[in-house]
Amino acid sequence: MTWLRHWATLMGSLWRVVTARFFYHLAAGNQSSQVTERRPGLVALGHRCCVFVHFDGRGVVRQHTRCYLAALRQAGFGIVFVTNAAKLEPDSAKWLAEHCALILIRRNRGYDFGAYRDGIAAVFQAQIKADLLLLANDSVYGPLVGLGDIFERMDFSKADVWSLTDSWQHRYHLQSFFVVFGPAALASAGFAEFWQSVRNVRSKWAAIHFYELWMTHRMQSAGLRCAAIWDYFALLGTLQEAHNAAQSDGPVTIEQGVRRLATERALACWRHRIALNPTSDLWLTLLQAGFPFIKRELLRLNPGRLPDLHMWHSVVPRRSPQMYQLIMDDLKMSMRKQAP
């Protein structure tokens, strides 16, 4: 049965690549804005700008997302809110107007990267001399801790583009759910050329394959330095140290046994040079290192079938009881056929 699983995985990967290329070429020449409506907000944009991408089929901005946006405002960011839902329900629209600088309603073409492109264009059209441009989306729950320290850790004398995490899956890239571009990046021709080239692809896999995976390469090719706060290999080193320190001949609790199993699986992948997704496979190591988010997809689907994921019920409430309750409220509305 193992070979059948490997074969199914291989065929699934091949199918995603083929469909990604098909939809990418189908969208050739289609880089037009998909914004159908612009609504001004009451907040000034300022020198720290955030383009925040949202999707909800009903056009609702959920409570946990509102907390995230409020945390960004507290960190000094003026927000251009871009929804791919093509609509906003009245209460959400009213709340956004009070907390954002600009609200863009667009068709969901190009997925997050098409929305980022349209939001970035709006920032430059506003002729704001931005020092930092943050791209963020609603694919995470949080923040579980304040965001201020994160921006203090981004040293733009050492790198021009910062993300929270990086990944080696498929090819090296900064993970795009939270990426910050500094002054050198914003002034780079390579930055402008990349975002102007983003097509309105109709496939999620095309957006991932050609933009999520290639953005970092394009920035590096333009001479920009890229770095992640929670570096992939530093995380694995931390995991190895914790694993070594936890070894003992005494009795092991069920929780310790489950955690050891998950750790050994991750370290085995490292030894065999199998790239992991840090926000999924290393979720607990990240949270223990101060990472402020947990992925929505991780809690809803557990795509890596992680044996220790149930531990989030004890880890997250210790960091943010309020956010834990908001997460549970959201999962009750969105999960089907399994329990969180």
Side-chain angles (χ1 to χ4, degrees), residues 98 224 262:
E98 296 171 355
L224 299 172

Side-chain angles (χ1 to χ4, degrees), residues 19-298:
T19 56
R21 289 188 176 279
F22 172 79
F23 282 103
Y24 177 75
H25 291 295
L26 190 66
N30 184 1
Q31 289 111 5
S32 61
S33 171
Q34 296 299 300
V35 174
T36 59
E37 187 177 353
R38 299 167 61 99
R39 300 180 184 177
L42 300 177
V43 178
L45 201 52
H47 295 287
R48 282 187 166 192
C49 300
C50 171
V51 174
F52 189 94
V53 173
H54 159 269
F55 179 81
D56 179 272
R58 298 173 299 151
V60 174
V61 181
R62 303 181 192 186
Q63 193 61 43
H64 64 87
T65 302
R66 297 185 186 192
C67 288
Y68 187 1
L69 293 167
L72 291 172
R73 285 285 302 123
Q74 189 173 2
F77 282 86
I79 300 168
V80 174
F81 183 90
V82 188
T83 181
N84 277 332
K87 61 183 178 181
L88 283 172
E89 59 91 23
D91 180 68
S92 296
K94 180 177 181 295
W95 189 92
L96 289 170
E98 296 171 355
H99 293 84
C100 298
L102 180 65
I103 300 99
L104 304 180
I105 301 173
R106 72 186 299 276
R107 293 178 287 267
N108 190 17
R109 297 176 185 171
Y111 290 83
D112 282 6
F113 274 81
Y116 282 149
R117 178 203 62 206
D118 291 349
I120 290 169
V123 170
F124 279 88
Q125 288 168 8
Q127 298 183 333
I128 298 295
K129 182 64 175 176
D131 298 322
L132 299 181
L133 175 64
L134 165 64
L135 304 183
N137 63 37
D138 63 353
S139 65
V140 294
Y141 289 120
L144 307 176
V145 295
L147 295 177
D149 289 346
I150 288 176
F151 300 104
E152 294 296 325
R153 294 174 64 178
M154 295 179 180
D155 186 346
F156 288 95
S157 69
K158 295 181 178 178
D160 308 303
V161 185
W162 282 90
S163 67
L164 297 188
T165 53
D166 54 2
S167 173
W168 289 78
Q169 286 188 322
H170 305 290
R171 70 172 300 135
Y172 177 76
H173 63 281
L174 303 181
Q175 296 193 289
S176 64
F177 65 90
F178 194 106
V179 184
V180 182
F181 297 87
L186 295 176
S188 168
F191 173 88
E193 290 168 1
F194 172 78
W195 289 107
Q196 289 167 4
S197 72
V198 172
R199 304 177 183 182
N200 295 315
V201 293
R202 302 291 190 92
S203 159
K204 175 183 176 181
W205 293 112
I208 292 172
H209 186 77
F210 288 98
Y211 301 129
E212 168 88 18
L213 298 181
W214 279 91
M215 179 184 70
T216 304
H217 177 76
R218 293 280 295 274
M219 297 300 115
Q220 289 173 323
S221 296
L224 299 172
R225 300 161 297 169
C226 299
I229 292 179
W230 284 276
D231 174 80
Y232 180 77
F233 290 107
L235 281 173
L236 287 170
T238 299
L239 187 65
Q240 181 70 73
E241 291 176 5
H243 181 62
N244 294 342
Q247 297 299 319
S248 68
D249 296 327
V252 176
T253 66
I254 293 176
E255 291 298 312
Q256 288 171 332
V258 169
R259 181 58 188 151
R260 181 178 296 179
L261 177 64
T263 298
E264 289 174 348
R265 187 169 78 163
L267 294 176
C269 288
W270 185 17
R271 288 193 298 272
H272 290 91
R273 302 175 67 187
I274 299 171
L276 301 170
N277 181 346
T279 56
S280 177
D281 301 300
L282 305 176
W283 72 274
L284 183 53
T285 303
L286 273 170
L287 291 189
Q288 290 172 337
F291 186 69
F293 300 110
I294 190 165
K295 274 282 190 172
R296 292 174 63 191
E297 181 185 55
L298 175 65

